[in-house]
């Protein structure tokens, strides 16, 4: 299910420390190694599509105006190419799950989107993913019928 996020009255929140990657050319080889190890360690992060998703895809996404956020507890992306910036591919490392860190990754990206001057964003949350749906208690989310 897709949701619109209304950031017009959103106040930035405190979030965990993170590394932000916006341009592949800005990433040093050591950082690429870190990201590569993270991707190798968490093969379940993109489900069945994992075999097609690798470091080359990360490079392509960064070249295609995406932002990648890497934290000690997981990672997430923003796709800036849509009508509203799109929050996607949030992943929490298993030992950090059910501690509110998935919500932190949502707020991290909302902070960035608001800072860039946008009042709206979008996100897809699967009905089966109950922990991810817990963020929906916030009144800034509205279900979208089309995206």
């Amino acid at each position: 299910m897709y949701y619109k996020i209304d950031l017009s009255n959103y106040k930035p929140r405190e979030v965990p420390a993170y590394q932000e990657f916006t341009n592949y050319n800005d990433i040093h080889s050591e950082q690429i190694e870190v990201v590569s190890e993270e991707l190798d360690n968490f093969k379940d992060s993109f489900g069945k599509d994992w075999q097609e998703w690798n470091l080359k895809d990360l490079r392509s996404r960064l070249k295609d105006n995406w932002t990648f956020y890497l934290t000690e507890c997981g990672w997430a992306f923003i796709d800036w190419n849509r009508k509203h910036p799109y929050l996607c591919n949030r992943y929490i490392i298993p030992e950090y799950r059910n501690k509110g860190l998935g919500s932190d990754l949502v707020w991290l990206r909302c902070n960035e989107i608001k800072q860039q001057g946008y009042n709206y964003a979008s996100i897809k949350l699967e009905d089966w993913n109950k922990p991810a749906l817990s963020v929906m208690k916030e009144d800034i989310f509205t279900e979208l019928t089309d995206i």
Side-chain angles (χ1 to χ4, degrees):
M1 186 103 23
Y2 288 94
Y3 297 89
K4 182 177 183 178
I5 306 171
D6 183 350
L7 299 172
S8 55
N9 295 315
Y10 173 79
K11 302 288 184 240
R13 300 181 185 199
E14 194 170 318
V15 295
Y18 62 92
Q19 287 183 283
E20 177 181 341
F21 301 98
T22 57
N23 183 329
Y24 175 69
N25 295 325
D26 294 339
I27 300 175
H28 304 291
S29 59
E30 302 84 40
Q31 292 170 314
I32 292 170
E33 257 181 58
V34 169
V35 172
S36 182
E37 287 173 16
E38 290 291 329
L39 293 174
D40 282 343
N41 288 335
F42 302 105
K43 293 183 176 166
D44 68 326
S45 67
F46 296 97
K48 295 176 187 170
D49 296 332
W50 170 256
Q51 296 305 319
E52 288 100 41
W53 204 98
N54 55 36
L55 190 59
K56 180 180 175 189
D57 296 314
L58 172 58
R59 292 174 179 151
S60 294
R61 288 180 180 194
L62 292 176
K63 288 178 183 177
D64 193 30
N65 199 29
W66 288 50
T67 303
F68 178 61
Y69 298 92
L70 180 63
T71 71
E72 103 176 83
C73 66
W75 60 75
F77 287 93
I78 296 175
D79 176 356
W80 298 95
N81 297 307
R82 300 180 183 218
K83 179 180 178 182
H84 305 295
Y86 179 57
L87 287 66
C88 53
N89 297 120
R90 174 180 66 166
Y91 178 73
I92 301 297
I93 297 167
E95 60 265 26
Y96 290 96
R97 292 180 183 165
N98 299 312
K99 298 177 180 169
L101 297 168
S103 294
D104 286 346
L105 285 178
V106 170
W107 306 136
L108 181 159
R109 293 175 293 166
C110 285
N111 291 353
E112 177 66 20
I113 291 166
K114 181 70 174 180
Q115 182 180 0
Q116 294 298 322
Y118 292 90
N119 282 322
Y120 297 98
S122 61
I123 189 170
K124 180 179 181 184
L125 298 172
E126 302 291 349
D127 292 339
W128 56 263
N129 192 343
K130 301 301 181 204
L133 289 172
S134 68
V135 76
M136 298 307 301
K137 65 183 177 232
E138 302 286 333
D139 62 0
I140 63 174
F141 295 91
T142 306
E143 187 176 329
L144 287 173
T145 53
D146 72 38
I147 184 156

mmCIF file of all heavy atoms in Angstrom, residues 19 21 30-46 50 53-55 58 68-77 91-96:
data_model
loop_
_atom_site.group_PDB
_atom_site.id
_atom_site.type_symbol
_atom_site.label_atom_id
_atom_site.label_comp_id
_atom_site.label_asym_id
_atom_site.label_seq_id
_atom_site.Cartn_x
_atom_site.Cartn_y
_atom_site.Cartn_z
ATOM 1 N N GLN A 19 25.554 7.625 7.667
ATOM 2 C CA GLN A 19 26.363 8.085 6.541
ATOM 3 C C GLN A 19 25.399 8.306 5.389
ATOM 4 O O GLN A 19 24.526 7.468 5.135
ATOM 5 C CB GLN A 19 27.381 7.025 6.125
ATOM 6 C CG GLN A 19 28.520 6.864 7.086
ATOM 7 C CD GLN A 19 29.495 5.832 6.534
ATOM 8 O OE1 GLN A 19 29.237 4.657 6.602
ATOM 9 N NE2 GLN A 19 30.593 6.301 5.980
ATOM 10 N N PHE A 21 25.022 8.914 1.331
ATOM 11 C CA PHE A 21 25.684 8.809 0.041
ATOM 12 C C PHE A 21 24.737 9.349 -1.024
ATOM 13 O O PHE A 21 23.655 8.806 -1.225
ATOM 14 C CB PHE A 21 26.033 7.352 -0.281
ATOM 15 C CG PHE A 21 26.926 6.713 0.741
ATOM 16 C CD1 PHE A 21 26.404 5.910 1.743
ATOM 17 C CD2 PHE A 21 28.296 6.916 0.703
ATOM 18 C CE1 PHE A 21 27.228 5.317 2.683
ATOM 19 C CE2 PHE A 21 29.133 6.322 1.636
ATOM 20 C CZ PHE A 21 28.597 5.525 2.641
ATOM 21 N N GLU A 30 37.124 2.838 0.528
ATOM 22 C CA GLU A 30 36.893 2.197 1.836
ATOM 23 C C GLU A 30 35.387 2.164 2.146
ATOM 24 O O GLU A 30 34.876 1.201 2.707
ATOM 25 C CB GLU A 30 37.612 2.940 2.963
ATOM 26 C CG GLU A 30 39.106 3.068 2.802
ATOM 27 C CD GLU A 30 39.516 4.246 1.920
ATOM 28 O OE1 GLU A 30 38.921 5.337 1.995
ATOM 29 O OE2 GLU A 30 40.442 4.058 1.114
ATOM 30 N N GLN A 31 34.692 3.241 1.800
ATOM 31 C CA GLN A 31 33.255 3.285 2.045
ATOM 32 C C GLN A 31 32.531 2.278 1.156
ATOM 33 O O GLN A 31 31.579 1.636 1.596
ATOM 34 C CB GLN A 31 32.714 4.692 1.792
ATOM 35 C CG GLN A 31 33.212 5.698 2.809
ATOM 36 C CD GLN A 31 32.862 7.113 2.410
ATOM 37 O OE1 GLN A 31 33.037 7.515 1.268
ATOM 38 N NE2 GLN A 31 32.375 7.873 3.374
ATOM 39 N N ILE A 32 32.983 2.129 -0.081
ATOM 40 C CA ILE A 32 32.379 1.152 -0.978
ATOM 41 C C ILE A 32 32.532 -0.244 -0.393
ATOM 42 O O ILE A 32 31.606 -1.046 -0.428
ATOM 43 C CB ILE A 32 33.013 1.231 -2.384
ATOM 44 C CG1 ILE A 32 32.625 2.565 -3.035
ATOM 45 C CG2 ILE A 32 32.562 0.060 -3.258
ATOM 46 C CD1 ILE A 32 33.376 2.856 -4.307
ATOM 47 N N GLU A 33 33.696 -0.519 0.192
ATOM 48 C CA GLU A 33 33.919 -1.806 0.844
ATOM 49 C C GLU A 33 32.929 -2.035 1.969
ATOM 50 O O GLU A 33 32.370 -3.115 2.109
ATOM 51 C CB GLU A 33 35.340 -1.863 1.412
ATOM 52 C CG GLU A 33 36.288 -2.666 0.596
ATOM 53 C CD GLU A 33 37.670 -2.686 1.233
ATOM 54 O OE1 GLU A 33 37.797 -3.116 2.399
ATOM 55 O OE2 GLU A 33 38.607 -2.270 0.531
ATOM 56 N N VAL A 34 32.710 -1.016 2.789
ATOM 57 C CA VAL A 34 31.766 -1.129 3.911
ATOM 58 C C VAL A 34 30.376 -1.444 3.394
ATOM 59 O O VAL A 34 29.702 -2.354 3.879
ATOM 60 C CB VAL A 34 31.751 0.169 4.753
ATOM 61 C CG1 VAL A 34 30.599 0.175 5.729
ATOM 62 C CG2 VAL A 34 33.068 0.341 5.481
ATOM 63 N N VAL A 35 29.929 -0.698 2.387
ATOM 64 C CA VAL A 35 28.595 -0.921 1.834
ATOM 65 C C VAL A 35 28.505 -2.311 1.226
ATOM 66 O O VAL A 35 27.534 -3.039 1.439
ATOM 67 C CB VAL A 35 28.252 0.167 0.784
ATOM 68 C CG1 VAL A 35 26.954 -0.168 0.077
ATOM 69 C CG2 VAL A 35 28.172 1.530 1.444
ATOM 70 N N SER A 36 29.547 -2.711 0.499
ATOM 71 C CA SER A 36 29.566 -4.023 -0.129
ATOM 72 C C SER A 36 29.452 -5.131 0.921
ATOM 73 O O SER A 36 28.704 -6.090 0.753
ATOM 74 C CB SER A 36 30.845 -4.197 -0.932
ATOM 75 O OG SER A 36 30.858 -5.439 -1.570
ATOM 76 N N GLU A 37 30.189 -4.993 2.026
ATOM 77 C CA GLU A 37 30.115 -5.984 3.103
ATOM 78 C C GLU A 37 28.716 -6.018 3.701
ATOM 79 O O GLU A 37 28.184 -7.089 3.985
ATOM 80 C CB GLU A 37 31.140 -5.666 4.188
ATOM 81 C CG GLU A 37 32.555 -5.982 3.769
ATOM 82 C CD GLU A 37 33.581 -5.500 4.784
ATOM 83 O OE1 GLU A 37 33.215 -5.204 5.935
ATOM 84 O OE2 GLU A 37 34.772 -5.423 4.403
ATOM 85 N N GLU A 38 28.123 -4.841 3.898
ATOM 86 C CA GLU A 38 26.761 -4.786 4.431
ATOM 87 C C GLU A 38 25.802 -5.526 3.510
ATOM 88 O O GLU A 38 24.975 -6.305 3.949
ATOM 89 C CB GLU A 38 26.296 -3.340 4.596
ATOM 90 C CG GLU A 38 26.983 -2.584 5.696
ATOM 91 C CD GLU A 38 26.615 -3.070 7.089
ATOM 92 O OE1 GLU A 38 25.484 -3.544 7.296
ATOM 93 O OE2 GLU A 38 27.476 -2.990 7.978
ATOM 94 N N LEU A 39 25.916 -5.273 2.206
ATOM 95 C CA LEU A 39 25.024 -5.934 1.254
ATOM 96 C C LEU A 39 25.242 -7.445 1.267
ATOM 97 O O LEU A 39 24.283 -8.210 1.229
ATOM 98 C CB LEU A 39 25.251 -5.375 -0.147
ATOM 99 C CG LEU A 39 24.836 -3.921 -0.354
ATOM 100 C CD1 LEU A 39 25.252 -3.444 -1.740
ATOM 101 C CD2 LEU A 39 23.347 -3.736 -0.152
ATOM 102 N N ASP A 40 26.495 -7.882 1.347
ATOM 103 C CA ASP A 40 26.787 -9.314 1.386
ATOM 104 C C ASP A 40 26.267 -9.968 2.666
ATOM 105 O O ASP A 40 25.804 -11.102 2.646
ATOM 106 C CB ASP A 40 28.293 -9.568 1.285
ATOM 107 C CG ASP A 40 28.804 -9.427 -0.129
ATOM 108 O OD1 ASP A 40 27.980 -9.444 -1.072
ATOM 109 O OD2 ASP A 40 30.031 -9.294 -0.294
ATOM 110 N N ASN A 41 26.345 -9.249 3.778
ATOM 111 C CA ASN A 41 25.935 -9.814 5.061
ATOM 112 C C ASN A 41 24.423 -9.956 5.210
ATOM 113 O O ASN A 41 23.958 -10.775 5.979
ATOM 114 C CB ASN A 41 26.456 -8.958 6.218
ATOM 115 C CG ASN A 41 27.946 -9.095 6.397
ATOM 116 O OD1 ASN A 41 28.529 -10.097 6.019
ATOM 117 N ND2 ASN A 41 28.564 -8.071 6.962
ATOM 118 N N PHE A 42 23.666 -9.150 4.495
ATOM 119 C CA PHE A 42 22.220 -9.129 4.727
ATOM 120 C C PHE A 42 21.475 -9.421 3.443
ATOM 121 O O PHE A 42 20.728 -8.609 2.921
ATOM 122 C CB PHE A 42 21.815 -7.790 5.345
ATOM 123 C CG PHE A 42 22.551 -7.566 6.623
ATOM 124 C CD1 PHE A 42 23.595 -6.661 6.680
ATOM 125 C CD2 PHE A 42 22.266 -8.317 7.741
ATOM 126 C CE1 PHE A 42 24.321 -6.492 7.841
ATOM 127 C CE2 PHE A 42 22.992 -8.158 8.905
ATOM 128 C CZ PHE A 42 24.015 -7.235 8.964
ATOM 129 N N LYS A 43 21.666 -10.631 2.964
ATOM 130 C CA LYS A 43 21.095 -11.030 1.681
ATOM 131 C C LYS A 43 19.576 -11.096 1.712
ATOM 132 O O LYS A 43 18.947 -11.104 0.665
ATOM 133 C CB LYS A 43 21.681 -12.363 1.253
ATOM 134 C CG LYS A 43 23.154 -12.234 0.935
ATOM 135 C CD LYS A 43 23.748 -13.504 0.447
ATOM 136 C CE LYS A 43 25.191 -13.218 0.070
ATOM 137 N NZ LYS A 43 26.017 -14.304 -0.131
ATOM 138 N N ASP A 44 18.974 -11.152 2.873
ATOM 139 C CA ASP A 44 17.509 -11.200 2.913
ATOM 140 C C ASP A 44 16.887 -9.816 2.804
ATOM 141 O O ASP A 44 15.682 -9.682 2.741
ATOM 142 C CB ASP A 44 17.028 -11.882 4.192
ATOM 143 C CG ASP A 44 17.324 -11.068 5.445
ATOM 144 O OD1 ASP A 44 18.371 -10.382 5.472
ATOM 145 O OD2 ASP A 44 16.522 -11.118 6.384
ATOM 146 N N SER A 45 17.687 -8.775 2.747
ATOM 147 C CA SER A 45 17.143 -7.422 2.829
ATOM 148 C C SER A 45 16.254 -7.034 1.672
ATOM 149 O O SER A 45 15.393 -6.192 1.814
ATOM 150 C CB SER A 45 18.271 -6.403 2.957
ATOM 151 O OG SER A 45 19.023 -6.371 1.773
ATOM 152 N N PHE A 46 16.445 -7.652 0.512
ATOM 153 C CA PHE A 46 15.608 -7.319 -0.629
ATOM 154 C C PHE A 46 14.841 -8.536 -1.117
ATOM 155 O O PHE A 46 14.428 -8.611 -2.253
ATOM 156 C CB PHE A 46 16.446 -6.696 -1.753
ATOM 157 C CG PHE A 46 17.032 -5.386 -1.327
ATOM 158 C CD1 PHE A 46 18.325 -5.314 -0.854
ATOM 159 C CD2 PHE A 46 16.267 -4.236 -1.341
ATOM 160 C CE1 PHE A 46 18.855 -4.109 -0.425
ATOM 161 C CE2 PHE A 46 16.797 -3.028 -0.912
ATOM 162 C CZ PHE A 46 18.087 -2.965 -0.455
ATOM 163 N N TRP A 50 17.061 -10.310 -4.344
ATOM 164 C CA TRP A 50 18.459 -10.109 -3.927
ATOM 165 C C TRP A 50 19.441 -10.444 -5.032
ATOM 166 O O TRP A 50 20.416 -9.739 -5.243
ATOM 167 C CB TRP A 50 18.781 -10.931 -2.685
ATOM 168 C CG TRP A 50 20.248 -10.918 -2.421
ATOM 169 C CD1 TRP A 50 21.132 -11.908 -2.656
ATOM 170 C CD2 TRP A 50 21.016 -9.812 -1.938
ATOM 171 N NE1 TRP A 50 22.408 -11.506 -2.329
ATOM 172 C CE2 TRP A 50 22.354 -10.224 -1.891
ATOM 173 C CE3 TRP A 50 20.695 -8.529 -1.536
ATOM 174 C CZ2 TRP A 50 23.376 -9.394 -1.454
ATOM 175 C CZ3 TRP A 50 21.718 -7.701 -1.109
ATOM 176 C CH2 TRP A 50 23.040 -8.134 -1.066
ATOM 177 N N TRP A 53 20.146 -7.608 -7.083
ATOM 178 C CA TRP A 53 20.484 -6.357 -6.397
ATOM 179 C C TRP A 53 21.874 -6.483 -5.812
ATOM 180 O O TRP A 53 22.140 -7.359 -4.995
ATOM 181 C CB TRP A 53 19.477 -6.081 -5.289
ATOM 182 C CG TRP A 53 19.396 -4.631 -4.957
ATOM 183 C CD1 TRP A 53 18.463 -3.748 -5.417
ATOM 184 C CD2 TRP A 53 20.279 -3.879 -4.121
ATOM 185 N NE1 TRP A 53 18.720 -2.502 -4.918
ATOM 186 C CE2 TRP A 53 19.821 -2.549 -4.126
ATOM 187 C CE3 TRP A 53 21.413 -4.183 -3.398
ATOM 188 C CZ2 TRP A 53 20.455 -1.538 -3.414
ATOM 189 C CZ3 TRP A 53 22.046 -3.180 -2.690
ATOM 190 C CH2 TRP A 53 21.556 -1.874 -2.706
ATOM 191 N N ASN A 54 22.782 -5.607 -6.240
ATOM 192 C CA ASN A 54 24.162 -5.697 -5.775
ATOM 193 C C ASN A 54 24.780 -4.305 -5.754
ATOM 194 O O ASN A 54 24.091 -3.302 -5.936
ATOM 195 C CB ASN A 54 24.962 -6.658 -6.664
ATOM 196 C CG ASN A 54 24.884 -6.269 -8.122
ATOM 197 O OD1 ASN A 54 24.860 -5.091 -8.463
ATOM 198 N ND2 ASN A 54 24.833 -7.261 -8.985
ATOM 199 N N LEU A 55 26.072 -4.251 -5.542
ATOM 200 C CA LEU A 55 26.756 -2.958 -5.447
ATOM 201 C C LEU A 55 26.638 -2.159 -6.749
ATOM 202 O O LEU A 55 26.509 -0.940 -6.725
ATOM 203 C CB LEU A 55 28.214 -3.154 -5.067
ATOM 204 C CG LEU A 55 28.962 -1.884 -4.696
ATOM 205 C CD1 LEU A 55 28.298 -1.179 -3.513
ATOM 206 C CD2 LEU A 55 30.406 -2.190 -4.384
ATOM 207 N N LEU A 58 23.573 -0.248 -6.519
ATOM 208 C CA LEU A 58 23.735 0.908 -5.635
ATOM 209 C C LEU A 58 24.360 2.056 -6.425
ATOM 210 O O LEU A 58 23.876 3.192 -6.365
ATOM 211 C CB LEU A 58 24.610 0.555 -4.431
ATOM 212 C CG LEU A 58 25.020 1.713 -3.524
ATOM 213 C CD1 LEU A 58 23.812 2.443 -2.951
ATOM 214 C CD2 LEU A 58 25.929 1.219 -2.410
ATOM 215 N N PHE A 68 21.356 7.215 -0.496
ATOM 216 C CA PHE A 68 21.485 5.996 0.298
ATOM 217 C C PHE A 68 21.948 6.388 1.690
ATOM 218 O O PHE A 68 22.914 7.135 1.834
ATOM 219 C CB PHE A 68 22.512 5.074 -0.375
ATOM 220 C CG PHE A 68 22.796 3.798 0.362
ATOM 221 C CD1 PHE A 68 21.793 2.875 0.607
ATOM 222 C CD2 PHE A 68 24.083 3.500 0.782
ATOM 223 C CE1 PHE A 68 22.064 1.678 1.260
ATOM 224 C CE2 PHE A 68 24.367 2.309 1.429
ATOM 225 C CZ PHE A 68 23.351 1.394 1.672
ATOM 226 N N TYR A 69 21.246 5.903 2.712
ATOM 227 C CA TYR A 69 21.598 6.170 4.106
ATOM 228 C C TYR A 69 22.005 4.856 4.757
ATOM 229 O O TYR A 69 21.267 3.885 4.719
ATOM 230 C CB TYR A 69 20.406 6.750 4.868
ATOM 231 C CG TYR A 69 19.959 8.070 4.311
ATOM 232 C CD1 TYR A 69 18.976 8.137 3.338
ATOM 233 C CD2 TYR A 69 20.535 9.258 4.742
ATOM 234 C CE1 TYR A 69 18.575 9.353 2.816
ATOM 235 C CE2 TYR A 69 20.138 10.479 4.229
ATOM 236 C CZ TYR A 69 19.157 10.511 3.259
ATOM 237 O OH TYR A 69 18.772 11.713 2.740
ATOM 238 N N LEU A 70 23.172 4.848 5.351
ATOM 239 C CA LEU A 70 23.691 3.672 6.031
ATOM 240 C C LEU A 70 23.886 4.019 7.501
ATOM 241 O O LEU A 70 24.566 4.989 7.832
ATOM 242 C CB LEU A 70 25.027 3.259 5.399
ATOM 243 C CG LEU A 70 25.733 2.050 5.981
ATOM 244 C CD1 LEU A 70 24.883 0.792 5.801
ATOM 245 C CD2 LEU A 70 27.096 1.867 5.317
ATOM 246 N N THR A 71 23.238 3.248 8.371
ATOM 247 C CA THR A 71 23.393 3.436 9.816
ATOM 248 C C THR A 71 23.956 2.147 10.402
ATOM 249 O O THR A 71 24.060 1.141 9.705
ATOM 250 C CB THR A 71 22.043 3.744 10.509
ATOM 251 O OG1 THR A 71 21.251 2.558 10.517
ATOM 252 C CG2 THR A 71 21.307 4.870 9.810
ATOM 253 N N GLU A 72 24.255 2.165 11.671
ATOM 254 C CA GLU A 72 24.764 0.941 12.283
ATOM 255 C C GLU A 72 23.662 -0.110 12.413
ATOM 256 O O GLU A 72 23.932 -1.288 12.564
ATOM 257 C CB GLU A 72 25.437 1.254 13.623
ATOM 258 C CG GLU A 72 24.652 0.939 14.846
ATOM 259 C CD GLU A 72 25.437 1.182 16.117
ATOM 260 O OE1 GLU A 72 25.468 2.335 16.546
ATOM 261 O OE2 GLU A 72 25.995 0.234 16.673
ATOM 262 N N CYS A 73 22.402 0.306 12.292
ATOM 263 C CA CYS A 73 21.292 -0.643 12.456
ATOM 264 C C CYS A 73 20.637 -1.041 11.139
ATOM 265 O O CYS A 73 19.792 -1.920 11.115
ATOM 266 C CB CYS A 73 20.242 -0.069 13.395
ATOM 267 S SG CYS A 73 19.395 1.388 12.746
ATOM 268 N N GLY A 74 21.003 -0.410 10.022
ATOM 269 C CA GLY A 74 20.376 -0.757 8.747
ATOM 270 C C GLY A 74 20.598 0.321 7.713
ATOM 271 O O GLY A 74 21.529 1.118 7.830
ATOM 272 N N TRP A 75 19.742 0.356 6.722
ATOM 273 C CA TRP A 75 19.874 1.344 5.664
ATOM 274 C C TRP A 75 18.536 1.658 5.023
ATOM 275 O O TRP A 75 17.548 0.974 5.268
ATOM 276 C CB TRP A 75 20.860 0.899 4.602
ATOM 277 C CG TRP A 75 20.506 -0.368 3.903
ATOM 278 C CD1 TRP A 75 19.547 -0.546 2.940
ATOM 279 C CD2 TRP A 75 21.105 -1.636 4.115
ATOM 280 N NE1 TRP A 75 19.527 -1.846 2.545
ATOM 281 C CE2 TRP A 75 20.478 -2.544 3.243
ATOM 282 C CE3 TRP A 75 22.125 -2.083 4.925
ATOM 283 C CZ2 TRP A 75 20.823 -3.890 3.176
ATOM 284 C CZ3 TRP A 75 22.465 -3.413 4.866
ATOM 285 C CH2 TRP A 75 21.824 -4.297 4.001
ATOM 286 N N ALA A 76 18.538 2.692 4.180
ATOM 287 C CA ALA A 76 17.335 3.112 3.477
ATOM 288 C C ALA A 76 17.722 4.006 2.303
ATOM 289 O O ALA A 76 18.851 4.500 2.241
ATOM 290 C CB ALA A 76 16.417 3.872 4.431
ATOM 291 N N PHE A 77 16.780 4.208 1.401
ATOM 292 C CA PHE A 77 16.986 5.050 0.230
ATOM 293 C C PHE A 77 15.910 6.124 0.133
ATOM 294 O O PHE A 77 14.811 5.960 0.667
ATOM 295 C CB PHE A 77 16.856 4.224 -1.063
ATOM 296 C CG PHE A 77 17.995 3.303 -1.345
ATOM 297 C CD1 PHE A 77 17.964 1.988 -0.916
ATOM 298 C CD2 PHE A 77 19.091 3.734 -2.072
ATOM 299 C CE1 PHE A 77 19.001 1.120 -1.206
ATOM 300 C CE2 PHE A 77 20.135 2.870 -2.365
ATOM 301 C CZ PHE A 77 20.090 1.558 -1.935
ATOM 302 N N TYR A 91 15.737 -1.124 5.558
ATOM 303 C CA TYR A 91 16.101 -2.425 6.090
ATOM 304 C C TYR A 91 16.727 -2.265 7.463
ATOM 305 O O TYR A 91 17.614 -1.432 7.649
ATOM 306 C CB TYR A 91 17.099 -3.129 5.163
ATOM 307 C CG TYR A 91 17.539 -4.462 5.701
ATOM 308 C CD1 TYR A 91 16.675 -5.541 5.688
ATOM 309 C CD2 TYR A 91 18.794 -4.635 6.253
ATOM 310 C CE1 TYR A 91 17.058 -6.771 6.193
ATOM 311 C CE2 TYR A 91 19.197 -5.859 6.761
ATOM 312 C CZ TYR A 91 18.325 -6.922 6.731
ATOM 313 O OH TYR A 91 18.706 -8.131 7.247
ATOM 314 N N ILE A 92 16.261 -3.085 8.404
ATOM 315 C CA ILE A 92 16.819 -3.101 9.757
ATOM 316 C C ILE A 92 17.491 -4.450 9.980
ATOM 317 O O ILE A 92 16.880 -5.502 9.754
ATOM 318 C CB ILE A 92 15.726 -2.870 10.829
ATOM 319 C CG1 ILE A 92 15.033 -1.526 10.620
ATOM 320 C CG2 ILE A 92 16.307 -2.984 12.228
ATOM 321 C CD1 ILE A 92 15.932 -0.322 10.763
ATOM 322 N N ILE A 93 18.731 -4.430 10.402
ATOM 323 C CA ILE A 93 19.481 -5.641 10.702
ATOM 324 C C ILE A 93 18.721 -6.411 11.788
ATOM 325 O O ILE A 93 18.237 -5.820 12.764
ATOM 326 C CB ILE A 93 20.906 -5.266 11.171
ATOM 327 C CG1 ILE A 93 21.640 -4.547 10.018
ATOM 328 C CG2 ILE A 93 21.672 -6.488 11.647
ATOM 329 C CD1 ILE A 93 22.929 -3.863 10.433
ATOM 330 N N PRO A 94 18.589 -7.740 11.640
ATOM 331 C CA PRO A 94 17.733 -8.515 12.551
ATOM 332 C C PRO A 94 17.918 -8.238 14.038
ATOM 333 O O PRO A 94 16.936 -8.091 14.767
ATOM 334 C CB PRO A 94 18.076 -9.963 12.200
ATOM 335 C CG PRO A 94 18.423 -9.898 10.747
ATOM 336 C CD PRO A 94 19.157 -8.581 10.584
ATOM 337 N N GLU A 95 19.150 -8.136 14.518
ATOM 338 C CA GLU A 95 19.325 -7.938 15.969
ATOM 339 C C GLU A 95 18.874 -6.566 16.458
ATOM 340 O O GLU A 95 18.761 -6.339 17.666
ATOM 341 C CB GLU A 95 20.767 -8.228 16.409
ATOM 342 C CG GLU A 95 21.814 -7.384 15.769
ATOM 343 C CD GLU A 95 22.464 -8.028 14.545
ATOM 344 O OE1 GLU A 95 21.846 -8.874 13.882
ATOM 345 O OE2 GLU A 95 23.605 -7.651 14.249
ATOM 346 N N TYR A 96 18.601 -5.638 15.560
ATOM 347 C CA TYR A 96 18.140 -4.300 15.941
ATOM 348 C C TYR A 96 16.630 -4.120 15.762
ATOM 349 O O TYR A 96 16.091 -3.050 16.042
ATOM 350 C CB TYR A 96 18.856 -3.232 15.107
ATOM 351 C CG TYR A 96 20.315 -3.079 15.440
ATOM 352 C CD1 TYR A 96 21.282 -3.732 14.698
ATOM 353 C CD2 TYR A 96 20.724 -2.280 16.502
ATOM 354 C CE1 TYR A 96 22.624 -3.595 14.996
ATOM 355 C CE2 TYR A 96 22.063 -2.139 16.807
ATOM 356 C CZ TYR A 96 23.005 -2.794 16.056
ATOM 357 O OH TYR A 96 24.336 -2.655 16.359
#
